[in-house]
Amino acid sequence: MRIRHHFSVFPIPLRSLHRSFFSLLTRISLSKKMKQFWSPRSINKNKAMVEKLQNHGIVTSDEVAKAMEAVDRGVFVPDRSSAYVDCPMSIGYNVTISAPHMHAMCLQLLEKHLKPGMRVLDVGSGTGYLTACFAVMVGSQGRAIGVEHIPELVASSVKNIEASAASPLLKEGSLAVHVGDGRQGWAEFAPYDAIHVGAAAPEIPEALIDQLKPGGRLVIPVGNIFQDLQVVDKNSDGSVSIKNETSVRYVPLTSREAQLRGD
Ligand code: SAH
């Protein structure tokens, strides 16, 4: 089918022509600066990735889809060429950024605990991708805290977040990433509605259960070689209900020294 282009010419007052010319110039120079982060092609690829996850029934809610569409995974990975492929990818320091379907699954499991204004803790925040998605979902009235024990990863995650749609939340302070041992949680903003752990613990750290709000949910991979993604719901009386969601393979939640030794 041939596509016809129609052009119409309207009389434009000179002053507004001037204005639009300068705004066009600003837009061009801005878009040049932003190109490495926000090229339309990468936005389309990110959107296509989310659509695929929807078609496979992994992303089922609009809120999760919107957050994943807003936060371009391409700015969080070291190799943009395979940013949208459904695979984990090395980020140095003997660890990986999780595959998109794992991020999507955890967002879905936590979705009801990521409503605007809620508080969320991301343990082992790595690249900051999921922390950014959480922050977008809970919004500026909420709080999203990442804890990561490799200082270099914290520094690069801040840069990644600054280049993403979550940047204003980082500036406002509703999103923050800290260097620390995530097995201790982050007591400052506890209790949390949602806690996500991005590395496999031999057993559920007590501090994380303590820092969960009654009615809150913790999603954590548990185990050594064979691991289960566990969903821990805190009941109103403070007791917890635990269920195994699926078998998974994560890097260990461990000490910084053991991780860097590659134990
Ligand atoms: N969810 C992140 C990273 C997953 S890899 C992402 O997808 O980008 C797991 C991360 O947990 C790594 O960055 C690792 O350095 C971190 N980690 C492991 N043990 C930790 C601990 N005790 N405290 C804080 N971070 C830890």
Side-chain angles (χ1 to χ4, degrees):
M1 196 178 80
R2 273 187 57 206
I3 300 170
R4 284 218 207 137
H5 296 277
H6 297 275
F7 296 99
S8 51
V9 181
F10 295 104
I12 303 171
L14 202 60
R15 203 168 336 134
S16 78
L17 191 66
H18 233 99
R19 220 183 298 137
S20 52
F21 176 66
F22 281 113
S23 92
L24 180 70
L25 273 188
T26 327
R27 254 186 288 153
I28 289 170
S29 71
L30 250 182
S31 79
K32 267 193 184 153
K33 272 188 215 144
M34 301 294 280
K35 200 166 183 174
Q36 70 187 113
F37 307 124
W38 287 105
S39 79
R41 213 191 295 153
S42 86
I43 291 173
N44 287 341
K45 282 188 180 171
N46 191 63
K47 199 165 194 297
M49 177 193 81
V50 179
E51 270 166 18
K52 224 181 232 172
L53 293 166
Q54 286 175 303
N55 294 339
H56 284 82
I58 299 165
V59 169
T60 53
S61 83
D62 283 351
E63 286 79 4
V64 170
K66 266 191 230 148
M68 290 187 78
E69 276 172 15
V71 179
D72 182 3
R73 191 178 153 85
V75 302
F76 289 85
V77 297
D79 173 13
R80 289 181 70 89
S81 67
S82 37
Y84 311 102
V85 178
D86 196 14
C87 279
M89 194 191 291
S90 171
I91 54 170
Y93 311 94
N94 293 325
V95 293
T96 53
I97 176 172
S98 302
H101 77 271
M102 279 315 306
H103 283 149
M105 185 185 287
C106 292
L107 284 165
Q108 277 303 151
L109 287 169
L110 289 168
E111 185 226 340
K112 295 203 165 49
H113 309 269
L114 296 171
K115 299 288 178 206
M118 289 187 166
R119 290 187 192 183
V120 50
L121 176 67
D122 186 21
V123 172
S125 46
T127 59
Y129 170 77
L130 212 47
T131 325
C133 291
F134 290 148
V136 166
M137 289 180 77
V138 300
S140 55
Q141 299 306 309
R143 205 170 266 283
I145 302 293
V147 183
E148 165 59 53
H149 67 171
I150 305 289
E152 291 87 347
L153 283 178
V154 171
S156 60
S157 71
V158 167
K159 289 212 177 81
N160 298 340
I161 293 166
E162 279 169 352
S164 80
S167 177
L169 300 165
L170 186 72
K171 282 203 193 90
E172 284 167 19
S174 65
L175 161 56
V177 188
H178 300 282
V179 179
D181 185 342
R183 294 172 292 190
Q184 306 302 319
W186 195 261
E188 189 183 355
F189 300 111
Y192 298 94
D193 298 278
I195 301 180
H196 167 264
V197 183
E203 55 202 34
I204 301 172
E206 204 56 47
L208 298 185
I209 295 190
D210 290 346
Q211 292 176 23
L212 198 58
K213 210 181 255 185
R217 174 172 276 194
L218 160 68
V219 170
I220 178 170
V222 181
N224 295 305
I225 296 167
F226 299 102
Q227 305 163 3
D228 290 309
L229 188 65
Q230 296 196 335
V231 176
V232 182
D233 286 311
K234 194 174 222 178
N235 306 312
S236 48
D237 63 359
S239 65
V240 291
S241 315
I242 303 178
K243 83 171 196 272
N244 288 348
E245 183 64 26
T246 181
S247 298
V248 286
R249 190 94 176 88
Y250 279 73
V251 299
L253 185 74
T254 184
S255 71
R256 189 187 301 158
E257 296 70 29
Q259 180 175 314
L260 295 177
R261 275 197 311 267
D263 292 357

